[in-house]
Amino acid sequence: MRLSRLSKLLRLMRFSRMADTFVYMRAAFEDFFNVTIPDGAISLAWLVLGFSFLVHWVACINFMICRVYDFPEDSWVAQAELVDLDMGTKYSWCVFKALSQLIGLGFTTPPVVNTQCESVTEWCAIEHWVTLSCLYIGYLLYAMIISNISFIVVNMNKGRTNLVEKVWAVNEYMRSP
């Protein structure tokens, strides 16, 4: 029964189909409204969408690990007293914790993070490794976002720069004897 559910997770990996749909939607939008959407805006939208998916996955993984170990007393869910709250509140806390981990913050309260274990347990080691992994992923993502935004800004004026260079070359040609 669970293997059939696991096979449904593979549907999430069909990003190529989703990318084709977005290309079709972009073309339809541009044709209908007679506008051109810059490639930089599309790249930025993909970054935001990818970051949103990553935040969701990290939030779900953080909560799932606590749930698998039946919410230990030193887990962040138990420390924040989220065990008996409704799912919306739990999810918003999980997203907040995931965002805090991915941007390198979150080691003050809130969000609650177990920074020291009173006894070395399997749970403590797992929580620390997950937190460390999320920090590294967040730093890599931060570097990727900064580099992509820099690339988008540099290429925004590429057409104008090419035009100015051609005008300058024509002016130089006209000035030569």
Side-chain angles (χ1 to χ4, degrees), residues 136-156:
Y136 285 138
I137 290 169
Y139 290 139
L140 290 172
L141 186 69
Y142 180 72
M144 188 178 76
I145 287 173
I146 295 297
S147 66
N148 281 334
I149 289 175
S150 300
F151 181 75
I152 290 168
V153 169
V154 165
N155 286 331
M156 276 176 131

Side-chain angles (χ1 to χ4, degrees), residues 72-122:
E73 289 183 21
D74 59 347
S75 71
W76 67 274
V77 176
Q79 288 178 2
E81 299 172 357
L82 298 174
V83 177
D84 297 325
L85 297 178
D86 63 306
M87 191 54 73
T89 305
K90 289 177 187 177
Y91 183 73
S92 63
W93 266 87
C94 290
V95 167
F96 184 66
K97 179 178 171 58
L99 281 170
S100 298
Q101 283 179 336
L102 288 174
I103 61 174
L105 300 175
F107 293 99
T108 59
T109 54
V112 178
V113 174
N114 185 9
T115 56
Q116 62 183 0
C117 291
E118 293 179 13
S119 63
V120 179
T121 61
E122 182 184 7

Side-chain angles (χ1 to χ4, degrees), residues 2-90:
R2 290 188 182 199
L3 287 177
S4 65
R5 288 183 184 173
L6 188 62
S7 67
K8 291 180 184 179
L9 283 176
L10 295 176
R11 292 184 197 170
L12 291 174
M13 300 301 171
R14 296 181 185 170
F15 289 115
S16 63
R17 190 182 295 175
M18 186 172 58
D20 292 340
T21 303
F22 281 131
V23 167
Y24 174 75
M25 288 172 47
R26 176 186 180 186
F29 184 84
E30 288 178 344
D31 289 343
F32 184 75
F33 290 109
N34 199 21
V35 295
T36 302
I37 302 173
D39 291 333
I42 299 297
S43 297
L44 199 56
W46 275 109
L47 279 174
V48 169
L49 184 68
F51 185 72
S52 300
F53 278 129
L54 183 66
V55 166
H56 171 75
W57 288 338
V58 168
C60 290
I61 288 170
N62 276 323
F63 188 78
M64 181 197 68
I65 289 172
C66 292
R67 190 173 184 176
V68 164
Y69 284 91
D70 293 326
F71 304 111
E73 289 183 21
D74 59 347
S75 71
W76 67 274
V77 176
Q79 288 178 2
E81 299 172 357
L82 298 174
V83 177
D84 297 325
L85 297 178
D86 63 306
M87 191 54 73
T89 305
K90 289 177 187 177

